[in-house]
Amino acid sequence: MSKQEYIARYSLIINYLKRGKASWKDILNHLETQSEIADYNYVISQRTFQRDIAEIRTLWNYDIQNNKSTGYYFIQEEEDNTNENTHLLDSFNLFNALSLTNNYSNYIQFESRVPKGTEHIYGLLHAIKNKFILEIEYHKFYEENPEKVAVNPFLIKQFKGRWYLLCLKLDIGEIRTYALDRIKSIDIKKKRFSISKEIDLKNYFKNCFGIITPNSGKPEKITFNINSFQAKYVKTYPLHDTQRILKETKVETTFEIEVFITDDLIMELLSYGQELKITSPNSLVKQVATIHKNVLNRYISH
């Protein structure tokens, strides 16, 4: 069996158990069914399944447990790893589907806008993990020539299909975010750094929408109404982790999020057009209303 078939089988097992607990017989029946669909032999012995559990824990960070009293298998997920695991599994699901399908271009179309800079991710992860100082060649949109910047790399963040590096810019001692698609090259130094205990990387973007983090102020509770149809999309793809429903009628749904008010957030709210109405805080209501008035004036004066 090829490596891609092993990976495909692991993915099948995880996806099946994410639906709920299952017995060994249930899992085996599922693998038999998938074997017929994909024309691959995914059927294994229970002994091999135990080895798969260990491999899945190592590769995917999913912990498959067995309830000895009932015999059912289930995934024991830690809350901190849920989002990370989901992204990894999504990537592997796509990889498996494409690698096991001939001429997939006839059946699938990718977005034409492809994020750049992903070729740097491996090197950046190596530097972050080992705490190596980096020198990056960075070209800002509004500068004619690129600049070389020495940084302590902390983490990589994805936002709207683009990738960003959060780091400490050494010459000024301040945290900065650099877009990977503007990085021309990276040079990993052998000099190591240490991270200040004052920097809470895990929660750095906790109340942020996007990659803009204000230097001052506090997150604010923002409420907005969306019509009932559009609300279905917002429920399944929340604007933020803090999103919750305050009120729901047949006509519209009232949502609340608690985030910093930034340009990233305002642009996202504006993207819903007339389907969304901000109700609080009043400062944001006035700010968005002014934007809409200015846009209208541009069209009227045209």
Side-chain angles (χ1 to χ4, degrees), residues 11-76:
S11 179
L12 288 172
I13 292 171
I14 296 171
N15 286 321
Y16 187 63
L17 289 178
K18 281 179 72 69
R19 303 177 193 172
K21 62 184 180 179
S23 66
W24 162 243
K25 185 178 180 180
D26 294 332
I27 296 170
L28 186 59
N29 288 337
H30 178 65
L31 293 177
E32 289 176 347
T33 301
Q34 293 302 313
S35 296
E36 294 176 3
I37 295 173
D39 198 24
Y40 280 91
N41 184 16
Y42 296 126
V43 178
I44 55 175
S45 66
Q46 194 165 8
R47 184 175 181 180
T48 301
F49 178 62
Q50 296 302 318
R51 290 199 294 267
D52 283 0
I53 289 176
E55 286 294 316
I56 288 171
R57 185 178 297 113
T58 301
L59 294 175
W60 272 270
N61 203 26
Y62 278 103
D63 187 15
I64 298 176
Q65 298 286 338
N66 178 246
N67 187 322
K68 301 297 183 182
S69 61
T70 64
Y72 284 106
Y73 291 90
F74 62 96
I75 292 179
Q76 181 69 52

Side-chain angles (χ1 to χ4, degrees), residues 48-109:
T48 301
F49 178 62
Q50 296 302 318
R51 290 199 294 267
D52 283 0
I53 289 176
E55 286 294 316
I56 288 171
R57 185 178 297 113
T58 301
L59 294 175
W60 272 270
N61 203 26
Y62 278 103
D63 187 15
I64 298 176
Q65 298 286 338
N66 178 246
N67 187 322
K68 301 297 183 182
S69 61
T70 64
Y72 284 106
Y73 291 90
F74 62 96
I75 292 179
Q76 181 69 52
E77 287 190 297
E78 297 181 14
E79 187 175 346
D80 290 345
N81 294 330
T82 301
N83 191 48
E84 171 189 333
N85 293 346
T86 299
H87 280 292
L88 286 173
L89 185 59
D90 286 346
S91 298
F92 277 111
N93 284 338
L94 180 59
F95 170 78
N96 292 334
L98 298 183
S99 62
L100 297 176
T101 303
N102 294 324
N103 298 320
Y104 60 80
S105 60
N106 294 327
Y107 316 110
I108 184 171
Q109 290 185 355

Side-chain angles (χ1 to χ4, degrees), residues 219-226 234 239 242-247 252-259 261 265 269 275-286 288:
E220 297 189 55
K221 290 184 178 181
I222 299 167
T223 59
F224 53 92
N225 300 332
I226 298 185
V234 179
L239 270 69
T242 59
Q243 179 176 300
R244 67 190 185 102
I245 297 175
L246 297 182
K247 185 180 178 181
E252 63 181 11
T253 301
T254 302
F255 293 93
E256 179 189 82
I257 55 176
E258 187 170 359
V259 294
I261 297 177
L265 174 67
L269 295 174
E275 312 298 338
L276 181 147
K277 178 184 178 182
I278 301 167
T279 55
S280 70
N282 194 47
S283 58
L284 181 59
V285 173
K286 291 181 178 179
V288 171

